[in-house]
């Protein structure tokens, strides 16, 4: 699951970069992608933190 999430994050990051250079950074498409990337990054951070907490 963690590896799949990282692949999604990286793919979305690439698309976001491409769209950010094509459209204005305040374009609704770019903002929506950025928000989705934030959501995925938060989910990944939550998984990593929970793993570390369960280690102790």
């Amino acid at each position: 699951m963690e590896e799949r999430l990282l692949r999604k994050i990286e793919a979305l990051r690439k698309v976001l970069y491409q769209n950010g250079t094509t459209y204005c950074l305040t374009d609704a498409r770019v903002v929506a992608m950025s928000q989705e990337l934030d959501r995925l990054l938060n989910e990944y951070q939550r998984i990593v933190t929970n793993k570390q907490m369960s280690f102790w």
Side-chain angles (χ1 to χ4, degrees):
M1 175 175 185
E2 196 174 322
E3 196 62 38
R4 191 179 93 213
L5 185 55
L6 282 173
R7 284 193 300 272
K8 282 178 73 172
I9 288 169
E10 190 56 36
L12 184 55
R13 184 179 286 152
K14 287 178 184 177
V15 173
L16 178 60
Y17 176 78
Q18 291 169 346
N19 285 332
T21 58
T22 302
Y23 306 107
C24 176
L25 293 179
T26 57
D27 184 277
R29 294 167 284 198
V30 176
V31 171
M33 280 185 223
S34 178
Q35 290 172 336
E36 177 63 12
L37 181 58
D38 286 345
R39 188 189 67 75
L40 292 174
L41 288 167
N42 288 335
E43 183 179 338
Y44 179 76
Q45 184 63 42
R46 191 169 42 254
I47 290 169
V48 169
T49 300
N50 286 340
K51 268 186 162 180
Q52 289 173 349
M53 296 294 279
S54 65
F55 178 74
W56 299 104

